[in-house]
Amino acid sequence: MALISMEHVSKIYPNATRPALQDIDLQINRGEFVFLVGASGSGKTSLLRLLLREEEATSGEIRVGGYDLRRLPNRQVPQHRRSLGMAIQDSTLLNHKQAWHDVAP
């Protein structure tokens, strides 16, 4: 069983001229390192926001660790997010802290 799986996932934002994601199928197995690259506007951030359950897919199924994110209660979302590791792109580090304190949980 894949650690992360997406089946026929689409994300359409209101008033958008095209889908952010359309019919995505993805499997990431335990122990794999994955890099998400692509042009600006290609859906990278949308995909990550779906995995973090910051947003919900318009259609399709997303499973992380065997759990269907559509059925994950809101009270369990913070715990779900802590179980994922992600390197941020934007520089949102705090200037007044040392690097370790800035990224420590």
Side-chain angles (χ1 to χ4, degrees), residues 39-83:
S40 178
S42 63
K44 300 178 302 290
T45 300
S46 294
L47 188 141
L48 294 175
R49 290 176 65 88
L50 293 176
L51 287 176
L52 291 171
R53 218 329 282 257
E54 290 181 4
E55 297 194 21
E56 293 186 21
T58 305
S59 63
E61 182 178 290
I62 303 171
R63 291 185 171 276
V64 177
Y67 293 102
D68 185 345
L69 293 189
R70 295 173 298 181
R71 292 174 170 65
L72 185 68
N74 286 338
R75 62 181 162 65
Q76 290 183 350
V77 170
Q79 180 180 351
H80 161 70
R81 290 179 183 158
R82 286 190 295 268
S83 73

Side-chain angles (χ1 to χ4, degrees), residues 3 11 14 26 36 43 54 56 68 76 79 94 97 101 104:
L3 179 62
K11 176 63 181 177
L26 171 71
L36 187 58
E54 290 181 4
E56 293 186 21
D68 185 345
Q76 290 183 350
Q79 180 180 351
L94 303 173
K97 295 198 175 211
H101 295 109

